[in-house]
Every structure is written in structure tokens, then in C-alpha cells.
Amino acid sequence: MAIRCSRVFTGEQFGEGPATVLLDQEKIVGVETGHVELDESWQVAEYPTATVLPGLIDTHVHLVADTEVGALDRVPGLGDDELDAVITDGLRRQLAAGVTTVRDLGDLRYAVVNRRDVQRAGRTQEPEPTIVASGPPLTSVGGHCHFLGGEVANRDQISAAMRERVQRGVDVVKVMASGGITTPGSDVMGTQFSADEMHLLVELAHDAG
């Protein structure tokens, strides 16, 4: 496929004048200046007034939360089907805004991890941004976002939680190192884990790759 456009932003700089982006399946194989002549084997998309740029990456999302005020507070009351609907809508909105990869840093009941697995199995019905997922964030008892199900109170619970996340194949481990303004009673200025516990968390995550 070829995309013809008025100009291209490579992620580092804007190209001069009209450009043609060449794709083989999902891989960009060339960015050519000007109007490139192509044979009939190419499917051509014409965007004469558009700027084409690489897909955007949103590095901190919570796909289980909708876009309304108090979204995270409502998450614990959602059933599996409701969570799936919210996740679907969030992914649709992201893709419409040009985001092609999202990093989810806190879900409920591994709902986003499950959607990531559906993606990787090729079972999604519509195109979606690629998901990088953490599962429920690790937090102290009653700590920031405790209602997402990642509370741990000591080294044994931390180790068990890490084993569960490794078994689920999470891409990254999210740790609530401090309190947060959306969780009443948590201290935004204070740490939720000791230095020893944080060291254990990092060590276990690194050991698991």
C-alpha cells in the first residue's frame, strides 16, 4: 500500500513538500519525497492536504475507567461485560485520535490483560491500539487505587502478587509508590512501601524479565 500526502513527520522532523509512504503489510518500507510512480500492484490512498505521522503512544491509561468525572470510583461496581464495553470504547477513542499503542497501568480483575490476550490471538473484531498491560496495580492496604485489587501488606504477599502477575504474562508491573489524590486517606507526599519492599518488587520484576 502507498499513502500519498502533503508532507510527512517522521517523529524527528518534517519532510519537504509532498511525500509517499510505502507499506508492506503493517511495516513501513519507505518514505519517498514527491509523487512516486507506482505500478498496478499498489493500493494507493490519496490525502493531498494531510500530514502523515507515526502512530502516537499513550504511556499511561486506565482503560477500565470511562471518560466521565469519578470514573475510577465506579470501576469496582462494573461487571465483566461492562468492563469490556468501557475498554472497547476507550480503545476506539484512542485510535480515532491517532494513538496506536497504549500502556495500561492499572485494571480490575486483569480485564485489560485479557483484552491484550484477545488482541494477540487475532480475535478482535475491529482495529485497536496495541495494548501493553500491567494488571491491577500493587498498592498498600487501603492505599492508592486499592479498589482495583492489588493490595499487599508484606514481603510474602508481594512475592505472591508478583508470581500471579508473571503467570498472567503482564508486560510491566505497576507499583503505587505513594498515595494519590483520587484515593481519600492516602498520602500523596508519603511512601507506601519501605525501601526494602521496593527493592524486592523491582528485583522480582527484573528476575521475571
Side-chain angles (χ1 to χ4, degrees):
M1 181 178 183
I3 301 173
R4 290 190 175 123
C5 56
S6 63
R7 63 177 181 167
V8 168
F9 177 63
T10 65
E12 296 179 346
Q13 61 186 7
F14 283 100
E16 294 290 334
T20 303
V21 181
L22 305 174
L23 300 100
D24 181 3
Q25 303 293 333
E26 296 180 352
K27 185 176 182 180
I28 296 172
V29 295
V31 179
E32 306 290 340
T33 301
H35 185 93
V36 178
E37 292 299 325
L38 301 167
D39 61 34
E40 294 180 354
S41 66
W42 290 87
Q43 176 186 348
V44 180
E46 300 275 2
Y47 297 98
T49 62
T51 298
V52 171
L53 66 157
L56 302 173
I57 300 172
D58 193 334
T59 61
H60 190 153
V61 302
H62 296 282
L63 290 171
V64 294
D66 59 37
T67 60
E68 304 300 323
V69 175
L72 277 174
D73 295 336
R74 288 192 296 277
V75 172
L78 299 178
D80 291 343
D81 290 343
E82 292 171 308
L83 282 175
D84 192 60
V86 171
I87 292 167
T88 298
D89 185 61
L91 290 169
R92 179 188 61 78
R93 290 170 180 265
Q94 291 277 14
L95 192 60
V99 175
T100 57
T101 299
V102 295
R103 182 172 64 174
D104 190 275
L105 293 180
D107 69 11
L108 177 70
R109 299 192 299 271
Y110 294 92
V112 177
V113 175
N114 293 339
R115 173 58 71 88
R116 180 211 62 185
D117 292 343
V118 169
Q119 281 189 355
R120 291 183 179 176
R123 301 198 308 269
T124 53
Q125 300 299 311
E126 300 290 338
E128 294 179 347
T130 299
I131 296 172
V132 176
S134 72
L138 293 178
T139 189
S140 61
V141 176
H144 185 34
C145 288
H146 62 90
F147 46 80
L148 294 178
E151 292 176 301
V152 287
N154 53 50
R155 290 177 64 90
D156 287 344
Q157 289 183 13
I158 288 171
S159 297
M162 290 295 293
R163 284 194 299 273
E164 180 180 25
R165 282 152 181 76
V166 172
Q167 290 168 358
R168 293 274 189 164
V170 301
D171 302 295
V172 62
V173 175
K174 173 64 183 291
V175 179
M176 299 299 193
S178 72
I181 59 173
T182 61
T183 306
S186 66
D187 182 4
V188 180
M189 303 302 293
T191 57
Q192 296 197 144
F193 296 101
S194 68
D196 179 62
E197 290 169 333
M198 286 296 292
H199 184 273
L200 175 64
L201 282 160
V202 173
E203 188 175 60
L204 291 172
H206 286 186
D207 287 347

